[in-house]
Amino acid sequence: MKVAGKNFLIGHTALELREWATGSGEAAFRGGQIAGWIYRNNVIAPEEMKNLPGALRTKLAETFHAPGTAVADETRSGDGTRKLLLRLADGETVEMVLIPGGDDRLTFCLSTQVGCPVRCRFCASGRDGLIRNLAAGEILEEYLLGIHAAGNRRPDNLVFMGIGEGLLNFDELAAALEALTDPERFGMSPRRITVSTSGYLPGMRRFAELGREYNLAISLHASDDATRARLIPDPLRYPVEEILAEADHYLERAGRMVTLEYTLLRGINDRPSDAERLARLARLHHAKINLIAYNETGGGEFSRPPRNVIENFEKIIADAGAHVTLRVERGGESAAACGQLRRMHREGKEKEK
Ligand code: SF4
C-alpha cells in the first residue's frame, strides 16, 4: 500500500530488493546489501548505507519512504514506559509505546490504524472513528523507530494493542507480521507476538487460517451481550457466544490459548456475578483472563472501580479455577493511555488555529 505516492523500503525481501536493483541498472548483489542494512543492522536511511554508491542511495531515497515516519514527540512515565507520537508521511499521527518489564524485558505496543472504526465508548482512540489504515511498511517503521529509541535494541515481545482494530486492516497487518517473523527478515518468534481484537469475527477467522502461533487477545470487557452493548456500539460488535466459539477455533488451528482482556469499569462490569460468569466462560473455552484496571483519562462517563472491588473480582475468578492476571495500566500520569497523546496534540493544534 502506497502512502503519499510512495512505497516503503522496509518489509521488502532480499529477493525483491535484488530484482529492484537489477531493474534500476544496478548489480543484483546491491539488493542483498540493502537487505543486510535493514534486517541485520536496523538501518533504513539510505544515507547511512555506507557501502552503497551515492547514486544508488539517492535513487533509493527518491523511490521509497526510507523512512516515511518520524518521532514527533515523546512522553515518559515514572515506571520507564515511553510513549512515542509518530508523524506519518501524510501528516497523520499514531502512537507506539515501549514498555519495560521484569528481567530487563522490553515490549513494544504498536498501532495498526489511524483512529479506529470500532469506537469503544471508553477509548480515546475510537472517538473520531477511522481516518485510515496503516500500510505494512508503516507498521514496520513503528517497530524500527521503537528499536532506535531503545538504543538499537530489539524488543522481547510485540503487542498490537495500540490504536486501531488490526484485524480490520488484515492484509497490511498480515504482511507486517510476515516480515517480522520471516527468518530472513526480522526473524521474531510468532509466540512473542500478540494481536488484539475487539472480537471482529471475520478477521478472527482469517487470522486463524494463517495457521501461525501468534497469540490472540480478545477485548471482551463484558461477559454478556447487554453489558457489552453499553461499551461497544453497533455495527462492529459481535455476540459474546460467537466470539468465544471463534476463540475455540483459534485454539484448535493455532494451538495457542486465547487471552480475554477485560477492562474493569466501575458500576458497569465489576459485579461479583460478572466475575463468576467470566470465570465460567474462560474455563469452558480454555482461555486466560487479563484484567485491566481502567486508566481514567479525565472526564468521560467511566471510572476505575475501588481497589477492594478490583481485588475481589480477581479473587472470585482465581477461586473458580480460571487463569487470571491483573494489569494496572502503566504510565497513566504521562498520557500513556491508548490514543491520549495523539488526541492531546490534535487538540493543541486546534487551539492554535
Ligand atoms: S479499544 Fe481498541 S478497538 Fe476499541 S476503539 Fe479503542 S482502539 Fe478501537
Side-chain angles (χ1 to χ4, degrees):
M1 170 176 152
K2 286 185 179 177
V3 173
K6 275 191 197 180
N7 274 318
F8 292 80
L9 179 59
I10 195 168
H12 285 97
T13 62
L15 179 66
E16 288 165 345
L17 291 167
R18 277 197 287 273
E19 283 170 1
W20 177 81
T22 48
S24 311
E26 302 282 345
F29 79 93
R30 296 290 185 197
Q33 285 180 317
I34 298 167
W37 279 110
I38 303 171
Y39 302 115
R40 275 200 298 278
N41 300 314
N42 309 318
V43 166
I44 49 168
E47 68 270 17
E48 290 175 37
M49 299 183 178
K50 301 293 181 204
N51 57 358
L52 300 186
L56 178 56
R57 285 191 241 158
T58 307
K59 205 180 293 174
L60 270 178
E62 283 169 0
T63 310
F64 299 104
H65 290 299
T69 311
V71 179
D73 196 7
E74 174 175 348
T75 57
R76 284 177 193 244
S77 48
D79 62 9
T81 298
R82 297 167 65 190
K83 173 173 275 201
L84 307 184
L85 180 79
L86 304 177
R87 190 165 313 284
L88 306 171
D90 61 355
E92 295 293 350
T93 52
V94 290
E95 298 170 0
M96 69 101 30
V97 189
L98 292 86
I99 308 161
D103 299 329
D104 195 33
R105 300 191 77 72
L106 179 65
T107 298
F108 287 179
C109 176
L110 305 183
S111 297
T112 52
Q113 296 181 307
V114 182
C116 181
V118 184
R119 309 184 87 137
C120 300
R121 296 200 169 93
F122 52 86
C123 171
S125 305
R127 238 168 261 172
D128 304 321
L130 177 70
I131 295 170
R132 71 168 173 85
N133 284 327
L134 289 189
E138 290 175 306
I139 296 171
L140 293 169
E141 285 192 354
E142 280 184 74
Y143 169 76
L144 197 82
L145 290 171
I147 291 171
H148 292 169
N152 219 23
R153 177 183 163 181
R154 293 191 177 182
D156 302 289
N157 297 296
L158 267 189
V159 296
F160 286 88
M161 294 185 179
I163 300 171
E165 163 56 67
L167 297 185
L168 273 165
N169 183 17
F170 191 89
D171 293 336
E172 299 299 319
L173 174 63
L177 289 171
E178 188 60 36
L180 288 164
T181 55
D182 178 358
E184 310 238 305
R185 284 179 280 172
F186 289 111
M188 200 167 175
S189 163
R191 290 172 164 239
R192 297 195 168 276
I193 298 177
T194 301
V195 170
S196 171
T197 178
S198 59
Y200 176 60
L201 284 188
M204 287 174 71
R205 179 50 62 105
R206 288 185 74 190
F207 194 54
E209 295 315 321
L210 292 178
R212 306 288 310 275
E213 289 185 302
Y214 300 117
N215 301 300
L216 179 65
I218 302 171
S219 297
L220 203 63
H221 305 316
S223 52
D224 66 283
D225 289 315
T227 307
R228 216 163 177 266
R230 293 175 69 183
L231 305 175
I232 304 175
D234 284 332
L236 288 170
R237 186 186 66 256
Y238 289 83
V240 170
E241 202 179 311
E242 291 181 31
I243 292 172
L244 293 174
E246 204 53 54
D248 290 344
H249 178 71
Y250 193 79
L251 174 63
E252 209 176 283
R253 194 77 178 77
R256 302 294 284 163
M257 247 178 130
V258 164
T259 302
L260 305 177
E261 303 279 339
Y262 194 97
T263 301
L264 279 162
L265 302 161
R266 184 177 197 156
I268 305 269
N269 63 1
D270 61 349
R271 294 160 297 196
S273 58
D274 292 317
E276 284 156 16
R277 196 171 38 241
L278 181 62
R280 220 172 24 247
L281 290 175
R283 291 197 56 184
L284 191 63
H285 295 277
H286 308 285
K288 300 178 268 189
I289 298 168
N290 187 25
L291 299 176
I292 303 145
Y294 178 64
N295 188 357
E296 294 183 17
T297 53
E301 57 188 301
F302 299 105
S303 60
R304 176 188 288 207
R307 178 186 281 261
N308 65 317
V309 171
I310 295 173
E311 285 171 359
N312 191 42
F313 199 93
E314 184 187 15
K315 185 172 181 307
I316 292 170
I317 294 172
D319 288 350
H323 185 294
V324 61
T325 50
L326 171 66
R327 187 169 93 217
V328 178
E329 288 250 293
R330 285 163 160 261
E333 81 271 26
S334 78
C338 162
Q340 267 180 283
L341 183 60
R342 176 171 170 268
R343 176 161 278 273
M344 248 164 54
H345 267 254
R346 290 186 56 198
E347 282 167 3
K349 267 186 148 184
E350 272 151 26
K351 270 187 209 139
E352 281 165 23
K353 279 182 195 164

